[in-house]
Amino acid sequence: MFDLIREHQLNAMLVLCGACGILTLLLFFTRFMSKTRRRIHILMLVVAFFLLWFDRLAYIYAGVSGTRAYVMVRLSNFFVFFLTSAVVFGFNLLLKDWLGNEGGMERVPRRLDAVGALAVAGMALAVISAFTGLYYTFNELNEYQRGDGFLIAYIIPVLGPMIQFSVIVQYRKSFRKLIFIALLFYIFGPIICGIVQIFTYGISIVNMSMVFVSILLYLFTYVDINNMVVRAHEIEMRNVEGEKERLQRLFGQTAGAMVAAVEKRDDFARGQARKVAEYAKRIAEMSGKSADDCEKIYYAALLHDVGMIGIPDSVIKNEEDPGKWDREAMRQKPLIGREILSSITEYPYLAQSAYSSHERYNGTGYPEGLSGEDIPEIARIVAVADAYVTMTSKKRYREARPEMYAREAFVKGAGDVFDPVFAGLMVKIIDQDSSEKMREDIAAVETKLSCGNYRDRISVGIPLENGVKRIRFECVPAEGSENGFSAPSIILFDSYDRRIHSDKKTISEYRYLEYGEVWFDEHLISTGARKIVDAKIERKENGSGKEYGIVAERYDDHLRLKMDGPSCYKEIIVALPDGSKAAYVALTGENCEISAITVESTDEMIGPADIPRIADEISFIDRMEADLKNIQIDRTRSASTEGVEVKNRCRILFHSMSLPGANLVWHCPYVVLFSSADGRVGGPDYREYVLIKLNGENEEDGKYAQNSFVMKKKESFPGWDRWKEINKEGMECELSLERKGSRIILKTENLGISIESTTIVSDDTQKVYAALTGDEVALTDIRVE
């Protein structure tokens, strides 16, 4: 190894000198160091450069005859010993500067002053040695020879760094990690090499190591400065983000205050602007907008109705359906809103949204009658969110409309009143919220009720699906009712919102139908049910206690309720109008305190033989059967046909008729593409790819397939009301299926609703099936060609 160093050390010295020179030049352009620090680094690199340069010259001219060689050998050796102490001196200056600035020390340790004095003494000894031969001499061949005091030359380069090391260790916290590592290299690298060189003659590893660690110190310092800049930038960005968030909060609070001032004029409007903003943001998120765009849409929606502040109180507080004058006054709202928000020049989209959010996709809106994509996108999103909140909120002149009403409005209005993309996303949001709300409503059943007059307090409806539910509660007479009638009872009903209604408008809008009322004795009242009968009544001798229980069972259009009270056990059977109807049970009573209400859903399943029929089954499929069995789908996807394997090309033709109770546009046939081990919907290894509704909707989760869906209304489309009428009358339907590898193409056109769906299956399924299903519809005469 040492032979290799001897052979190439002159070239190595030259490379290291070049590196020193380049770094020295770079230091002149460095702006991240203080002037003093930069000068010290320049001094250290210049000293290192000349130290190695003269050491190289000493090797070049050693043993060479001539006057020039004679002078260069002596001059170069002098500078080597002189600059060795100068390196210690320069490093000492760097430590002092670092401790004084980064370390915050007003007075640096005296040990460093002592090292500085030693370094100066070392340079002085180098001068003395040049005349006395203390460190070195030269023979007649002009060759370097170690002098008697050679080892003295190593005392200062070793002792000085050791003292400096003690300072570094003592004040370690003053140095950042990278700098601390670089300082250790700077101290111990040359010391180790110096010890080696004592026993190795003819190579200059000490001086090369001094230059190398000088370069390393610069590089580590540069990296440390870069890290500091990065950290400073991160801190600055955090401060900027913090300031941005603070301004955002300030803007949000200002906007909220403005909205509150507007809503204060109308109790029925309170909180609606924030709801519109939240729904608009959800639509934006589902459409793939960036976080910044979603925030813009949120605030645009929050402030879109700020023009209400200029509408007369007589219009805002009108408790009747708006008249012509009211509607004309409301048309001024976008103009007023734009005028107010146009002063916020940093956010022009606020005024744009307020001005255009009442435009309609078909051009029937106001104030300009814009249509299609001429309406700003942000306004199209806000229009959908605003329409939903308006429909489902209570007004002075009407009750809140059910979510199903709003859902149908968006399905019917997509591409007509509303942007089809954003209306479709709103439908998906309604579906998500409906399923979540169902779970919340079940969990939110009141745990206690204080009932005075009969039906003045009624719990939320508990859904009775196919299967078994257990309801338990305790009931005692209300205080002061000891001598009067006191008893709990239940109400059986159907309603979109799972609540009891009593006024004509909400009964119509929520499709409320009451089946009957039942008490925990012989009494019952049948209203909307086909029939309610007492199947069993058992009186209990000891009629005291407060615990009550209900076991509710359902299969298809029949219910059985096992009602157990302190004085009576009874079983009733209820025949619903048909299997498509939902059924809910609500608790109420008269002059009683109901408490400890619990609802338990079980996994028990009920079959057709478990509940005795008290009324004939209502069937709309007593017609001719063809390739597949006829099916009657009473509730959403409650039945489906066997799967038809999609191979090359095939057609499925069938007769469809919506059930008498159907009243929504999606009460129609559906087609589901899937795979399963037995070719049945819900079978083993079931995977669903897409669900297509013949009213022009589709559902997919993208888990197993990618779907491209296009729906168009053709000129033959009769309008949605007539479309529903024809569906109830019955119609012939046809759909075509074609498979090309992993791609399945479905096409159908019925009553002017044209659908083309392309599904790309992403798994390795060999067999893909199509099955018919639907909601409140009867499918008969099903043929496969």
Side-chain angles (χ1 to χ4, degrees), residues 501-722:
H501 295 280
S502 56
D503 66 274
K504 290 182 179 179
K505 278 189 175 181
T506 56
I507 286 173
S508 173
E509 289 181 347
Y510 286 89
R511 300 292 193 271
Y512 178 74
L513 175 61
E514 191 167 303
Y515 302 133
E517 302 163 271
V518 186
W519 283 260
F520 285 80
D521 53 22
E522 298 90 347
H523 294 86
L524 63 84
I525 298 174
S526 178
T527 48
R530 279 192 289 161
K531 188 183 287 187
I532 302 179
V533 299
D534 283 317
K536 180 188 288 188
I537 298 179
E538 296 178 356
R539 277 283 180 184
K540 297 181 180 180
E541 293 182 4
N542 182 10
S544 63
K546 60 179 181 179
E547 295 181 351
Y548 292 77
I550 303 170
V551 178
E553 303 169 345
R554 175 171 183 169
Y555 180 79
D556 198 18
D557 61 347
H558 272 53
L559 306 175
R560 177 165 63 184
L561 276 71
K562 301 174 182 178
M563 304 174 62
D564 190 10
S567 60
C568 180
Y569 171 83
K570 66 186 292 186
E571 294 183 8
I572 64 165
I573 297 176
V574 182
L576 301 176
D578 58 62
S580 68
K581 298 299 182 185
Y584 301 91
V585 58
L587 302 178
T588 185
E590 184 175 356
N591 297 324
C592 61
E593 296 286 341
I594 300 173
S595 61
I597 302 170
T598 61
V599 180
E600 178 189 356
S601 298
T602 72
D603 296 329
E604 300 173 54
M605 298 305 296
I606 300 297
D610 293 326
I611 302 177
R613 294 198 69 86
I614 60 172
D616 293 335
E617 183 179 2
I618 298 176
S619 175
F620 297 94
I621 57 174
D622 188 16
R623 293 184 48 153
M624 175 179 61
E625 285 191 344
D627 297 323
L628 298 176
K629 288 182 65 175
N630 297 341
I631 58 170
Q632 179 171 315
I633 307 130
D634 292 322
R635 295 177 302 283
T636 305
R637 299 185 66 178
S638 59
S640 58
T641 65
E642 293 182 6
V644 175
E645 186 178 354
V646 183
K647 295 182 179 178
N648 296 321
R649 292 185 181 181
C650 68
R651 291 194 306 158
I652 302 177
L653 303 94
F654 57 95
H655 182 271
S656 168
M657 184 181 73
S658 295
L659 301 183
N663 52 66
L664 299 167
V665 293
W666 57 86
H667 290 160
C668 66
Y670 304 167
V671 185
V672 59
L673 296 181
F674 68 97
S675 67
S676 68
D678 61 359
R680 294 179 179 274
V681 174
D685 300 323
Y686 181 73
R687 292 184 176 184
E688 185 165 307
Y689 302 125
V690 67
L691 176 73
I692 297 166
K693 305 179 181 181
L694 296 198
N695 69 316
E697 296 183 68
N698 76 310
E699 294 179 9
E700 55 167 325
D701 61 10
K703 187 175 182 180
Y704 301 113
Q706 298 298 317
N707 192 64
S708 171
F709 182 84
V710 178
M711 186 276 276
K712 294 180 180 177
K713 295 177 187 173
K714 297 202 169 180
E715 291 183 1
S716 57
F717 177 64
W720 285 109
D721 291 338
R722 181 58 184 152

Side-chain angles (χ1 to χ4, degrees), residues 56 115 185 214 304 371 393 589 627 698 768:
R56 185 172 182 272
V115 171
F185 272 119
S214 295
H304 82 286
S371 63
S393 298
D627 297 323
N698 76 310
V768 176

Side-chain angles (χ1 to χ4, degrees), residues 122 139 211 228 328 410 416 466 482-483 531 559 569 644:
N139 59 20
V211 175
M228 285 180 60
E328 286 300 319
F410 287 117
D416 183 20
N466 280 2
E482 290 80 3
N483 299 322
K531 188 183 287 187
L559 306 175
Y569 171 83
V644 175

Side-chain angles (χ1 to χ4, degrees), residues 25-38:
L25 289 175
L26 290 175
L27 274 168
F28 281 103
F29 301 99
T30 299
R31 292 292 178 266
F32 295 113
M33 287 185 190
S34 65
K35 288 183 178 180
T36 302
R37 182 74 53 82
R38 189 165 67 248

Side-chain angles (χ1 to χ4, degrees), residues 646 650 652 670-673 690-694 707-710 734-739 743-750 754-759 769-772:
V646 183
C650 68
I652 302 177
Y670 304 167
V671 185
V672 59
L673 296 181
V690 67
L691 176 73
I692 297 166
K693 305 179 181 181
L694 296 198
N707 192 64
S708 171
F709 182 84
V710 178
E734 176 184 338
L735 58 92
S736 66
L737 292 155
E738 182 180 2
R739 181 169 185 177
R743 187 186 304 265
I744 296 99
I745 302 168
L746 182 149
K747 295 180 181 179
T748 183
E749 183 178 335
N750 300 282
S754 173
I755 295 172
E756 182 172 341
S757 172
T758 302
T759 303
Y769 299 92
L772 299 178

Side-chain angles (χ1 to χ4, degrees), residues 1-9 193 196 200 203 205:
M1 178 180 176
F2 293 118
D3 291 337
L4 182 66
I5 295 174
R6 286 190 186 95
E7 183 179 352
H8 297 286
Q9 70 173 341
C193 291
V196 173
T200 307
I203 58 175
I205 57 174

